[in-house]
Amino acid sequence: MTPIASPALVGFLLVDGFALMSFASAVEPLRAANSLAGRKLYDWTILSVDGKEISASSGLTIRPDCAIGTERPFDIVLVCAGGNPTTFSDRATMKWLRSLARRGIVIGGISGGPYVLARAKVLDGYHCTIHWEHAPAFREAFPHLLLTRNLFEIDRDRLTCGGGVAGLDRMHALIGRDHGQELALR
């Protein structure tokens, strides 16, 4: 995976029941990197399946910027899911994720998001990880995938991480890769 030119556009697909802490730990390092650099290194767009508000597991709702399928020049798309990701099987989303993969867009999952990516068949041949709570169901449903117990995995153009603040560690690794370790440490 080659570093992304600035500003990189990151799409966050939030699935109903997503974990707010997991989402925040992924987006806040991008905001901080912009602030510390004194310029926009990252921009982000919030997506939902249908363009309607998405509810976090806490009940908080977020209004998305757009629905999946909206043409945007994404550099990275991250799926943030929580609750029970085994129940999410929206065909349009799966098709959209496969389309992104074919175009070479970097794709990732946060918390239960890797389950959605596995269901879309975009993790085959990649090392991946998932929130520990979802690991048993993931192993059972996708025994052929290369599941690790790491907090995060960056394998070529696939980015996965567990839940909670694991996204923070992964995003710091990306910021370091894209803009140097000094900025990532700050």
Side-chain angles (χ1 to χ4, degrees):
M1 189 164 68
T2 57
I4 297 169
S6 310
L9 180 56
V10 181
F12 287 95
L13 171 57
L14 304 181
V15 174
D16 266 328
F18 74 95
L20 187 58
M21 176 64 80
S22 298
F23 169 61
S25 71
V27 75
E28 278 299 308
L30 303 179
R31 181 208 52 79
N34 289 348
S35 178
L36 291 168
R39 64 188 175 94
K40 189 174 272 196
L41 301 175
Y42 298 95
D43 200 359
W44 50 90
T45 296
I46 309 300
L47 299 109
S48 71
V49 170
D50 55 9
K52 296 178 183 172
E53 285 188 343
I54 317 104
S55 295
S57 58
S58 65
L60 181 87
T61 57
I62 292 185
R63 185 173 359 132
D65 300 306
C66 58
I68 62 164
T70 303
E71 286 300 315
R72 299 269 171 107
F74 292 115
D75 295 294
I76 301 171
V77 171
L78 302 172
V79 178
C80 187
N84 186 359
T86 65
T87 63
F88 183 81
S89 61
D90 180 71
R91 285 181 181 219
T93 300
M94 303 306 161
K95 183 178 177 183
W96 183 66
L97 290 169
R98 286 190 295 274
S99 169
L100 294 174
R102 282 191 301 275
R103 291 185 308 189
I105 306 296
V106 176
I107 301 171
I110 303 168
S111 189
Y115 198 100
V116 175
L117 299 181
R119 182 166 271 163
K121 298 183 180 2
V122 297
L123 287 181
D124 290 12
Y126 291 89
H127 287 92
C128 59
T129 192
I130 194 166
H131 187 283
W132 63 267
E133 180 178 51
H134 308 302
F138 189 96
R139 275 191 203 92
E140 185 176 322
F142 311 105
H144 65 285
L145 293 182
L146 307 170
L147 184 65
T148 72
R149 296 177 59 147
N150 296 330
L151 284 178
F152 68 90
E153 285 288 346
I154 299 175
D155 187 350
R156 295 163 284 159
D157 56 354
R158 296 296 181 270
L159 317 170
T160 55
C161 68
V165 296
L168 182 76
D169 295 320
R170 183 191 55 201
M171 297 315 267
H172 277 107
L174 285 175
I175 291 165
R177 181 209 64 198
D178 292 349
H179 301 288
Q181 287 303 312
E182 182 181 329
L183 179 62
L185 289 173
R186 288 178 54 208

